[in-house]
Amino acid sequence: MSMTTEATIQELAAQKYKYGFTTDIEMEEFPKGLSTDIVRLISAKKGEPEWLLAWRLKAYEAWLKMEEPHWARVHHPPIDYQALYYYAAPAKAAPKSLDEVDPELLKTYEKLGIPLNERAALAGVAVDAVFDSVSVATTFRETLAKAGVIFCSISEAVKEHPELVRKYLGSVVPAGDNYFAALNSAVFSDGSFVFIPKGVKCPMELSTYFRINARNTGQFERTLIVAEEGASVSYLEGCTAPMRDENQLHAAVVELVAFDDAKIKYSTVQNWYPGDADGKGGIYNFVTKRGACRGRNSKISWTQVETGSAITWKYPSCILQGEGSVGEFYSVAVTNSHQQADTGTKMIHVGRNTTSTIISKGISAGKSNNTYRGLVKIMPGASGARNFTQCDSLLIGDQCGAHTVPYIENRNSSAKVEHEATTSKIAEDQLFYCRSRGLSEEDSVGLIVNGFCKDVLKELPMEFAVEAQKLLAVSLEGSVG
Amino acid sequence: MVALPTKKLEAWRYTDLRPLSAVTFGAPPAAAATPDLPDLPFPRFVFLNGVLNAALSSGFAYAKPFVPVEGQGTQPMALINADYAQDGINIEIPAGQDAGELLLISQSDGITPFAFHPRHRVKLGQGAKFALIELNQGEGTYWQNAVFEVEVAEGAKFQHFRLQEESVEAFNTTTIYADIEGQGSYEHFTLTLGARISRTEIEANLLGQNALAHLNAAQLLGGTQHGDFTTIIRHKAPNCPSRQTVKSVLAGKAHAVFQGKIEVDQIAQKTDGYQMSQALLLSPETEMDIKPELQIFADDVKCSHGATIGALDEEQVFYLRSRGIPEAEARQILIRAFLEEALEPVTHDASKALFEEVLESWWTKQ
Amino acid sequence: MLEIKNLHARIGDAEILKGVTLTIPDGEIHAIMGPNGAGKSTLSYVLSGREGYEVTKGEVIFNGENILEMEPEDRAAAGLFLAFQYPVELPGVGNANFLRTSLNAIRRKRGEEELDAVAFLKLARAAVRQLAMKEDFLKRNVNVGFSGGEKKRNEMLQMAILKPHLAILDETDSGLDIDALKIVAEGVNALRDEKFSALVITHYQRLLDHIVPDVVHVLAGGKIVRSGPASLALELEASGYAGLEVA
């Protein structure tokens, strides 16, 4: 790394997080801490049926008996779960239409570049906006309803489609699956629900924007997407949070279910506040995401661009049960300053002729640590299963770490598994070549990094690919360019 | 005794030692008959049932008497060894000497189960050269739990070729610690054919510039055999290469494991780490688990690992058959070709011939 | 002599060959031409015994034996040689070693004496020189890192050494430049005598400028739809395959 690059690193380390503003709005919060009373209070506040309260309480009991996992390569001071608020929502009653949404909130989303006003909205993208713990607006609902697609907040789904929620909630990620999933199951407040009936191709991209605003608040959203036989949907989530000195906990659960010939594409652009240049503040992003390919030839594809959060702990996975089902994981994880990311996937091959593809690109800069952790498991019944994994790490600067921890477990001799991993730094000659053609060092790095990530970025829906590219550049600004 | 590791330990997640803990091991019995020893023109140390047999051993100019254990190591198996070790070779090659070859033979006869814990030391002075060829064979039930402490000084070259052909009822756990100074090299090859459960674990520290660790293995397992090859290579100095090629061929209900970790310290710029692990599964009930791991704290490095698991390529089999080669022979040729890269460090003709011969006989037994 | 009688074959549920009948007497070279998807490659694989092709009807008699019952290696020993369209790579398997193993396996089956390393190398080197190949060809791993042309030359080298009674060239000309094409042709022509016969499968006429066939057959829709003298190839080149499938 040249002197000028080092200088650029120093210079830009102080770069501001673009989404770090707070919204001044009247909030309703429950008392701090977690107890059965709080769980009951959340459930009552949302007017939930008895079965769901029972489910939450069972999850809470399980959580009490569990220990916080420490196998990931991340370090943080102990989290005081009793010092968090488990419910925070705008004080005004839930809006019935966009016209009733608090103008302050609309302004917030405008600022984030997510217009909730349908006329101004991104063409062809329906948006559900979740502010702290509750859904504040869902757009294009009527258009979707005509196609038979249900897209609403999960609280609404509990009221309006209880049979569907009851059938699928926890069917992929059981309440007691892991420490953070159990916590989420006990206290989840909102999230999105998507149901695509048999044979329907969802007519537009679906999208949820998550925003944490309140101080000391944990956000525990729950997303459930079900695609029936032959249905297909592309879903995107984006996330941002204000700059705050204390760490905030985000423990979400996402469950996907795909039946015969169904396709679910789930894309994430994760840009939670990463903390400042000294590692102060930032979101702890402890998320459980899992999809079940239950039907023949079903397909679940995860694409993630992870640039935010102080700590990321997340392994979007696929359980490939249906014969011929397909799992995909495309990931770009960028860490800078003091960020820590431990992310990857699990591909569990159960059915015959199942295939999975894993493409992971990790970029470490500053004093960050970036770990790919993945499991490819071929069960004895998964004859003809096929996996290909490509896992590349790029290091920028000599203060960071890049780690690769793949687990490959094969119990079927007709399966074929291939894994490749490389670690390297940005090649000086590439940088020099770009700069000799007049690009700044920063732009050169941006260009090379984007090239490095191309195989993943091309998997993003068009509308967001450009966004993601910009985000990569911004995320690395503090490090080199 | 220090407790045996269980699968709850991350480093032991794929190797279950319960069959080992189920056996009660007594003290080594006196060896009965004189075993067949290989006809190789090298000085030798012969251990029968874990005890050095002076009559069968020849002198070796650089051998020193066994000394009790000093360094204990951190691996559970090494800790157990430290508690029990009573014998082992202790070799010191002075600076600049080419000590040639030495055979280390272990023959065991477990009519009643017994355990032994050899503690071997190999120390090479600056620029010294030495090749150690190990043959581990036996019958019946026994447990060899060996530890090697290896020190390779600057510019020295140590070649360590191991044949593990223990009885299929036996257990072999071997832990190797190797410290390699600048320009020095440790070239290792283990051929695992025997034992009910075996594990070779190597920790190699590259301590000076241009130090090399080349740790290869081939595991050919059948029946219900379990073989584990686990390595940690620590790059603690700049400009060091490390190479690993591990090939597993599994038949019957065999289970093989490869865990290979490359650690690159912040100081270890220009590290060049390469690791390849490939497995051929010849029958449906085999299991292969691979965990290649990179832990990198320096930016100017080139590290890669690759892993493939699959059956023999039927296109290749057909090609050979279409040229007149019978099916069984075609498969044997392809398996032998598959192993070739792992045998690379064995540049030594006599050792290579020895490995070729046992590979041939493995094939005919399957 | 090769006699293919009313051969039907399929891959999975798809019937590819729908009654191919063809006789190649000793000493003759026959060409099979036809549009893509006509079943040309299927015919070559069925003849050489590749798995995945199911013969549902018909027989193939080669020098009096029904070869459809035989293993691929036994067909090779009987004198059948397939020059592959896409020869596979065999990492770790040396070319010389491979050739010697093949030759000796065939000689063993024929009750002939095996060649020792010295005798074999002499034979192989001569063949290499004749095909204008570099001698390091023998030292390289089979087809590993070979260019398209080198792979085809390697097929010809094998053919020259194994000396088959019948060679099947499966689109051996595809992707070859004119020099490589000549090498292939020379390889075949060098073997021409009253006992050697060949089946040259090709999509284009140009190979047949160099290997002049005795008979040209047109395979379309899984059947031989026309047969004729060498001039038929030129005719096809001019008029194309259109209209042949309905014939």
Side-chain angles (χ1 to χ4, degrees), chain B residues 313-329 331 333-334 336-338 340, chain C residues 48-50 71-73 76 81-82 84 89-93 98 101-102 105-106 108 143 155 158:
Chain B
D313 183 344
E314 291 302 322
E315 291 267 320
Q316 295 182 339
V317 176
F318 175 68
Y319 190 75
L320 288 160
R321 292 178 71 192
S322 77
R323 297 295 176 259
I325 300 170
E327 184 173 356
E329 199 181 340
R331 290 180 186 277
I333 287 172
L334 291 172
R336 182 62 194 78
F338 170 79
E340 189 59 38
Chain C
S48 54
R50 190 189 178 106
E71 297 294 339
E73 55 266 36
F81 180 90
L82 171 65
F84 285 74
E89 300 187 359
L90 302 176
V93 181
F98 165 65
T101 310
S102 298
I106 289 173
R108 215 161 42 231
N143 297 331
E155 296 290 286
Q158 292 168 20

Side-chain angles (χ1 to χ4, degrees), chain B residues 50-63:
Chain B
V51 178
L52 181 68
N53 185 305
L56 295 171
S57 304
S58 64
F60 186 63
Y62 310 104

Side-chain angles (χ1 to χ4, degrees), chain A residues 55-75:
Chain A
W55 192 77
R56 285 177 181 275
L57 289 170
K58 211 175 143 195
Y60 177 67
E61 289 303 319
W63 179 75
L64 285 177
K65 293 191 191 92
M66 296 168 99
E67 278 180 31
E68 200 181 273
H70 292 288
W71 41 261
R73 177 180 283 279
V74 297
H75 303 282

Side-chain angles (χ1 to χ4, degrees), chain A residues 36-351:
Chain A
T36 47
D37 285 347
I38 288 288
V39 174
R40 284 174 190 281
L41 210 53
I42 292 170
S43 189
K45 178 80 196 167
K46 304 173 87 61
E48 285 176 356
E50 192 56 36
W51 67 264
L52 190 50
L53 173 62
W55 192 77
R56 285 177 181 275
L57 289 170
K58 211 175 143 195
Y60 177 67
E61 289 303 319
W63 179 75
L64 285 177
K65 293 191 191 92
M66 296 168 99
E67 278 180 31
E68 200 181 273
H70 292 288
W71 41 261
R73 177 180 283 279
V74 297
H75 303 282
H76 54 79
I79 298 169
D80 183 355
Y81 291 90
Q82 296 305 335
L84 291 176
Y85 292 101
Y86 286 87
Y87 185 83
K92 288 180 188 159
K96 292 202 171 51
S97 76
L98 280 172
D99 302 337
E100 289 177 33
V101 175
D102 188 319
E104 276 297 314
L105 271 176
L106 286 180
K107 260 193 244 163
T108 298
Y109 282 91
E110 294 283 352
K111 255 177 163 172
L112 293 170
I114 309 148
L116 295 179
N117 182 321
E118 286 189 10
R119 274 159 301 177
L122 288 161
V125 181
V127 178
D128 183 23
V130 176
F131 192 82
D132 285 333
S133 299
V134 295
S135 172
V136 290
T138 309
T139 63
F140 289 107
R141 295 180 63 163
E142 280 175 30
T143 319
L144 291 168
K146 265 182 218 151
V149 172
I150 302 170
F151 179 39
C152 61
S153 73
I154 200 143
S155 317
E156 281 175 84
V158 168
K159 291 198 181 82
E160 285 162 32
H161 310 282
E163 71 298 337
L164 287 176
V165 175
R166 194 171 185 178
K167 186 169 173 190
Y168 294 110
L169 186 74
S171 74
V172 185
V173 180
D177 187 80
N178 67 66
Y179 189 79
F180 298 113
L183 179 62
N184 173 287
S185 301
V187 302
F188 77 88
S189 35
D190 220 331
S192 299
F193 176 75
V194 177
F195 182 84
I196 319 286
K198 201 168 170 174
V200 173
K201 308 228 172 306
C202 187
M204 58 178 73
E205 298 273 347
L206 302 184
S207 169
T208 298
Y209 270 89
F210 295 102
R211 173 79 179 167
I212 298 179
N213 188 57
R215 197 176 285 272
N216 293 334
T217 304
Q219 181 150 324
F220 306 94
E221 78 276 345
R222 185 111 197 166
T223 298
L224 176 57
I225 300 179
V226 179
E228 287 197 323
E229 288 83 346
S232 68
V233 60
S234 171
Y235 179 93
L236 184 126
E237 63 169 5
C239 352
T240 56
M243 288 157 65
R244 294 195 186 279
D245 285 347
E246 70 274 20
N247 298 107
Q248 287 175 284
L249 178 64
H250 172 253
V253 171
V254 175
E255 296 177 276
L256 313 181
V257 182
F259 290 98
D260 287 3
D261 301 306
K263 289 184 175 54
I264 301 175
K265 183 176 177 65
Y266 193 106
S267 311
T268 302
V269 175
Q270 187 266 103
N271 188 24
W272 294 119
Y273 177 53
D276 68 11
D278 300 320
K280 202 169 182 193
I283 303 289
Y284 290 170
N285 191 35
F286 300 156
V287 173
T288 304
K289 291 183 168 177
R290 195 176 300 154
C293 282
R294 299 227 169 114
R296 289 170 66 100
N297 303 321
S298 54
K299 178 176 174 180
I300 288 178
S301 179
W302 298 99
T303 304
Q304 60 174 27
V305 176
E306 302 281 317
T307 59
S309 297
I311 301 177
T312 299
W313 179 100
K314 153 179 183 190
Y315 315 91
S317 304
C318 295
I319 300 165
L320 303 168
Q321 293 163 292
E323 186 174 338
S325 58
V326 176
E328 294 174 340
F329 176 73
Y330 299 99
S331 171
V332 169
V334 183
T335 54
N336 195 359
S337 300
H338 290 263
Q339 281 178 278
Q340 306 172 63
D342 194 300
T343 185
T345 183
K346 291 181 186 178
M347 292 290 175
I348 315 290
H349 291 255
V350 181

Side-chain angles (χ1 to χ4, degrees), chain B residues 176-198:
Chain B
I176 300 169
Y177 297 99
D179 282 344
I180 305 139
E181 300 292 341
Q183 317 286 336
S185 64
Y186 176 47
E187 296 179 20
H188 176 106
F189 174 70
T190 291
L191 176 59
T192 299
L193 300 175
R196 177 175 172 192
I197 294 175
S198 70

Side-chain angles (χ1 to χ4, degrees), chain A residues 73 406-409 419 421 423, chain B residues 10 14 290 292 295 303 305 307:
Chain A
R73 177 180 283 279
Y407 296 78
I408 304 161
E409 304 176 8
H419 172 101
T423 301
Chain B
E10 176 65 21
Y14 295 123
I290 299 178
Q295 180 186 303
C303 280
H305 64 231

Side-chain angles (χ1 to χ4, degrees), chain B residues 17-330:
Chain B
L17 290 181
R18 279 177 300 180
L20 174 62
S21 53
V23 180
T24 309
F25 295 100
T34 307
D36 281 343
L37 294 176
D39 182 25
L40 288 168
F42 305 131
R44 61 191 59 196
F45 284 97
V46 178
F47 287 78
L48 298 183
N49 292 359
V51 178
L52 181 68
N53 185 305
L56 295 171
S57 304
S58 64
F60 186 63
Y62 310 104
K64 299 228 165 354
F66 175 78
V67 286
V69 175
E70 295 159 19
Q72 293 213 324
T74 48
Q75 271 71 7
M77 305 319 276
L79 293 174
I80 293 169
N81 173 285
D83 282 351
Y84 292 89
Q86 289 182 346
D87 216 340
I89 58 168
N90 185 10
I91 308 291
E92 273 186 40
I93 318 287
Q97 288 290 325
D98 183 345
E101 302 83 2
L102 177 68
L103 275 179
L104 173 59
I105 297 171
S106 169
Q107 282 277 352
S108 304
D109 188 359
I111 308 166
T112 55
F114 69 95
F116 59 108
H117 306 262
R119 189 89 178 185
H120 304 297
R121 291 188 182 81
V122 177
K123 202 169 166 179
L124 279 76
Q126 280 191 16
K129 277 186 188 168
F130 178 48
L132 181 66
I133 302 150
E134 238 190 278
L135 310 174
N136 299 285
Q137 288 153 331
E139 279 170 31
T141 305
Y142 55 91
W143 173 26
Q144 174 170 195
N145 178 39
V147 170
F148 284 83
E149 293 171 22
V150 174
E151 288 174 45
V152 178
E154 278 180 23
K157 178 178 177 174
F158 177 40
Q159 293 183 294
H160 188 185
F161 308 136
R162 305 176 63 238
L163 170 63
Q164 190 274 87
E165 208 182 7
E166 307 276 24
S167 143
V168 289
E169 284 126 51
F171 303 88
N172 182 303
T173 47
T174 299
T175 311
I176 300 169
Y177 297 99
D179 282 344
I180 305 139
E181 300 292 341
Q183 317 286 336
S185 64
Y186 176 47
E187 296 179 20
H188 176 106
F189 174 70
T190 291
L191 176 59
T192 299
L193 300 175
R196 177 175 172 192
I197 294 175
S198 70
R199 165 144 157 155
T200 297
E201 182 163 352
I202 307 175
E203 266 192 51
N205 296 312
L206 300 171
L207 302 172
Q209 294 217 26
N210 297 306
L212 164 76
H214 195 162
L215 311 181
N216 282 16
Q219 314 191 79
L220 283 76
L221 305 170
T224 53
Q225 282 183 288
H226 177 101
D228 177 339
F229 190 70
T230 292
T231 62
I232 299 175
I233 297 181
R234 299 197 182 92
H235 285 259
K236 290 171 171 288
N239 290 309
C240 293
S242 65
R243 295 280 173 275
Q244 293 178 83
T245 301
V246 177
K247 305 267 183 166
S248 304
V249 176
L250 306 181
K253 295 182 179 177
H255 180 183
V257 178
F258 169 61
Q259 306 182 100
K261 186 174 184 185
I262 300 175
E263 295 181 9
V264 179
D265 284 4
Q266 201 178 326
I267 188 178
Q269 295 292 357
K270 306 276 181 198
T271 284
D272 178 3
Y274 168 82
Q275 185 190 76
M276 176 55 77
S277 165
Q278 295 182 301
L280 268 184
L281 308 186
L282 302 181
S283 58
E285 289 175 278
T286 52
E287 178 172 348
M288 182 76 218
D289 296 314
I290 299 178
K291 187 186 170 197
E293 197 175 340
L294 299 171
Q295 180 186 303
I296 295 171
F297 286 106
D299 64 334
D300 191 4
V301 299
K302 209 172 77 189
C303 280
S304 65
H305 64 231
T308 63
I309 307 175
L312 266 185
D313 183 344
E314 291 302 322
E315 291 267 320
Q316 295 182 339
V317 176
F318 175 68
Y319 190 75
L320 288 160
R321 292 178 71 192
S322 77
R323 297 295 176 259
I325 300 170
E327 184 173 356
E329 199 181 340

